[in-house]
Amino acid sequence: MNIWNSLSFQNSASPLMEQMIFFFDFSFLIMMLIMVFVIYIMFNMIMNKYINRYLLENQTLELIWTILPMMILLFMVFPSLRILYLMDEMKNPCMTFKVIGHQWFWSYEYSDFLNIEYDSYMILNNFRLLEVDNSFIVPYNLKIRLLVSSFDVLHSWTVPSLGVKVDAVPGRLNQLNFILNRVGLFFGQCSEICGINHSFMPIMIESIMFNDFVIWLKNN
């Protein structure tokens, strides 16, 4: 989760978020290089005392400033399309869970396992506006498909460390997938302004080993 001195993203807890962070660093580096180059050209033009008043055209220069931006965009579009494909890929999920948004709490359904259902309400504990009484228990290192819907108004199920954000729309099922690459607690919040208590419906995912997950299922 974020702390006061954080200047970047949260530590990734899924391969998808790792790829998104890599792509952000890559695109940010390109933008920094472009900005430095433009500032250098502007400074050079301001300080230069020699001005060619008779320069009307330069075919080589026009060719360069047309092709170079196109090449830069190509370097950025292919990684971006790859990440978009990975976000939407739903091939052979190991487990399917369902999340339903309410005003103002979340409900989780384990329909693959004897119809286990429970509600998740915010509690006042160590982490303000982040902890809940019943966390979302998910096995570690398995491909998870999540079906998200809403009971009343628009909500948005968002966990930054997993790189997932999907709207919960009444009467519609949206889906997403993720793989947790480490055990631990991961926090998120509703990212849609859903009403007066919008900030009081946090998300807390607890990633555990598969054997512990089986034991938890047997006890519920």
Side-chain angles (χ1 to χ4, degrees):
M1 59 180 295
N2 276 337
I3 57 176
W4 287 108
N5 295 327
S6 295
L7 297 177
S8 184
F9 297 101
Q10 297 183 17
N11 294 331
S12 63
S14 68
L16 177 61
M17 188 58 185
E18 288 180 0
Q19 296 298 317
M20 294 173 68
I21 293 176
F22 292 156
F23 177 71
F24 173 82
D25 295 338
F26 173 70
S27 58
F28 189 76
L29 176 62
I30 292 178
M31 289 188 290
M32 286 293 295
L33 292 175
I34 294 174
M35 185 180 68
V36 170
F37 177 73
V38 171
I39 292 175
Y40 168 75
I41 295 299
M42 292 176 60
F43 183 78
N44 192 33
M45 292 176 63
I46 293 173
M47 301 301 295
N48 192 357
K49 297 181 181 180
Y50 302 101
I51 300 175
N52 192 343
R53 295 181 298 171
Y54 304 104
L55 180 62
L56 298 179
E57 64 175 350
N58 190 323
Q59 296 292 336
T60 303
L61 181 61
E62 292 179 2
L63 186 65
I64 291 174
W65 73 35
T66 302
I67 294 179
L68 187 60
M70 182 179 66
M71 294 179 61
I72 293 174
L73 290 176
L74 287 177
F75 274 109
M76 297 179 66
V77 72
F78 287 113
S80 176
L81 290 176
R82 177 176 175 269
I83 293 176
L84 287 174
Y85 175 79
L86 292 175
M87 292 174 65
D88 290 334
E89 176 62 28
M90 290 288 176
K91 187 176 181 181
N92 298 326
C94 298
M95 298 179 184
T96 300
F97 305 128
K98 188 175 181 180
V99 179
I100 300 176
H102 301 262
Q103 289 183 315
W104 286 270
F105 62 94
W106 297 99
S107 295
Y108 298 99
E109 297 182 7
Y110 294 69
S111 55
D112 289 350
F113 309 96
L114 304 176
N115 293 324
I116 298 176
E117 302 179 13
Y118 59 88
D119 298 330
S120 179
Y121 291 89
M122 186 190 72
I123 59 174
L124 299 178
N125 210 332
N126 295 328
F127 300 116
R128 182 176 179 268
L129 301 180
L130 288 177
E131 289 196 80
V132 298
D133 55 355
N134 295 312
S135 58
F136 182 32
I137 309 295
V138 177
Y140 150 81
N141 205 23
L142 291 177
K143 188 169 186 179
I144 306 298
R145 178 174 63 178
L146 209 61
L147 302 178
V148 182
S149 185
S150 174
F151 183 77
D152 34 51
V153 298
L154 290 176
H155 300 281
S156 183
W157 198 85
T158 307
V159 182
S161 58
L162 300 182
V164 295
K165 180 180 184 294
V166 63
D167 289 337
V169 182
R172 175 174 177 177
L173 282 178
N174 291 328
Q175 64 178 358
L176 59 88
N177 73 96
F178 59 87
I179 301 175
L180 286 158
N181 57 13
R182 56 193 173 96
V183 298
L185 292 175
F186 309 104
F187 299 93
Q189 289 178 307
C190 176
S191 298
E192 192 77 45
I193 300 178
C194 55
I196 187 173
N197 290 330
H198 154 70
S199 59
F200 299 144
M201 50 183 306
I203 302 161
M204 189 167 80
I205 297 180
E206 184 174 353
S207 173
I208 60 178
M209 301 298 292
F210 183 75
N211 293 334
D212 297 330
F213 180 72
V214 173
I215 296 174
W216 178 82
L217 289 176
K218 293 179 179 179
N219 294 331
N220 286 273

